Amino acid sequence: MATIIPALQISLSRTSNPWGWNSGPRHIHLPNHGLSSGKSMEPGSQIIESKGNDRNKVLVNALRNGRLFRRDLYGQIKPYSSGFLEVSDLHSLYWEQSGNPDGYPVVFFHGGPGAGTSGRDRRYFDPDFFRIILFDQVTGMVLRGIFLLRKKEIDWFYEGGAATIYPDAWESFRDFIPNEERDNFVVAYGKRLNSNDLRKQKAAAKIWTTWEMMTSHLLPNEGYMRRGQDDLFSLAFARIENHYFNNKGFLPTDSYLLDNVEKIRHIPAIIVQGRYDVCCPMISAWDLHKAWPEADFKVIMDAGHSATEPGITAELVAANEQFKSLYGDNGQF
C-alpha cells in the first residue's frame, strides 16, 4: 500500500534529554525494510518529539530500542455485540464491540463530526489483543487529522481558503448558494440541509459531502469521492457536521480545546498528521503539539487528510502496536 521512498527522516527535537544525546535537532535517515523497527516509520513520514512525562518516555524508549511494530491493517472482523445507547429523549449513539472480549480496551473516535464508523476502523487494532469498543476508560490516545473547531479552521475550509488549492472542486460548492448568501456558506448550507423539502436537503448534502471527499486525499481517490453521491451517507454526514459547525462545536470559547489541554496531558498520546491535509491544515496539529509537548507528533510527508492514506494508515497501525507492546510488557501504564 505504501509509496516506496529510499529513505525517511526522523527529527528528534529536545532542549534537554535524559539519554545523553546532544540537544537540538537530530536527523536520522533509515532505509525501508517493509516491517520497520520502532526507530523507523512509514517512508515519507517525520516524527517530532518534545518533552515527555515518564509514561510517554516509555513510548520513546520503545522507539529507541528498535521494537518491531506491524504497519499493515489486520483482517476483516465482525462485532460480537452492538446496540444503541440512549443519551437523551431525542438522541441515541451506536456502539459496538469486536476483537477479544477479555483484551485491553481501546477507544476509537471517528472523524467528521458525522463521518461515522466502518468495518475498516476495526482493522487498525490486533483483534486477539484488543477489546475494540466505542468508549471505555482511556489509557492512551492516538489522534489523527487535528481539528480544534476554531473559527479560522472552519473559515479556511468553508469560506474560501481551501478554494485556493481546489478551485475546481470549490466552484460546485460555491455556485449552489446564491450570491446574496455567500458571506457565510456554513449558515447558507445549514438552511438547506434543514429544509422541509427533502430534495433540497439531499442536493445540499451531496455537494457539501463531495467537497470534503474531493479534498481529503493528496491524490484523487475516486472511490472516496463517490461516497458524496450516496444519499443516505451524505445526508447524515453533512447535517451532523454542519450542525456542529453552526454551533461552534458547542464549545464556550474559540480556543477552548487548546486552553484545556492540561486535563489530558497526563495521557500517553500519539498525534498523526498529514503534511498536506487541506481539510484540517497542519497548523492545528502544530498548535496542539506546542500545547501538548508530551505527545509524540508524527507528520506524514506524503499524505493529505484521510485515514486511508497509505502513510497515515501505517502510522495508525504502528501507533496501536506501540501501545500493545507496552500493555503486553508492563500489564498497565
Side-chain angles (χ1 to χ4, degrees), residues 154-176:
I154 296 173
D155 287 351
W156 159 261
F157 194 63
Y158 292 109
E159 304 299 337
T164 61
I165 300 174
Y166 286 95
D168 47 348
W170 174 255
E171 281 192 358
S172 296
F173 184 86
R174 179 198 64 198
D175 292 350
F176 184 72

Side-chain angles (χ1 to χ4, degrees), residues 211-244:
W211 164 241
E212 182 161 336
M213 300 299 106
M214 292 182 71
T215 55
S216 290
H217 288 78
L218 182 61
L219 300 176
N221 185 308
E222 294 295 331
Y224 207 71
M225 287 188 282
R226 283 195 294 271
R227 299 180 76 193
Q229 301 307 306
D230 182 319
D231 283 338
L232 188 63
F233 171 79
S234 64
L235 193 57
F237 177 85
R239 292 187 70 186
I240 293 173
E241 196 168 59
N242 179 271
H243 181 60
Y244 270 83

Side-chain angles (χ1 to χ4, degrees), residues 131-180:
R131 174 188 171 203
I132 307 163
I133 55 180
L134 181 62
F135 178 77
D136 199 24
Q137 183 180 2
V138 179
T139 54
M141 299 176 69
V142 180
L143 307 176
R144 188 272 312 171
I146 302 303
F147 184 67
L148 301 172
L149 275 163
R150 295 174 294 183
K151 184 179 185 299
K152 67 179 182 181
E153 296 168 87
I154 296 173
D155 287 351
W156 159 261
F157 194 63
Y158 292 109
E159 304 299 337
T164 61
I165 300 174
Y166 286 95
D168 47 348
W170 174 255
E171 281 192 358
S172 296
F173 184 86
R174 179 198 64 198
D175 292 350
F176 184 72
I177 303 299
N179 281 324
E180 60 270 20

Side-chain angles (χ1 to χ4, degrees), residues 19 32-33 42 50-51 93 97 130 144 150 153 176 206 228 252 265 292 295 330:
W19 303 304
N32 174 60
H33 297 300
E42 183 68 12
S50 295
K51 300 173 184 177
L93 299 176
Q97 297 187 95
F130 288 111
R144 188 272 312 171
R150 295 174 294 183
E153 296 168 87
F176 184 72
K206 284 183 178 180
R265 281 182 65 177
W292 191 0
N330 304 325

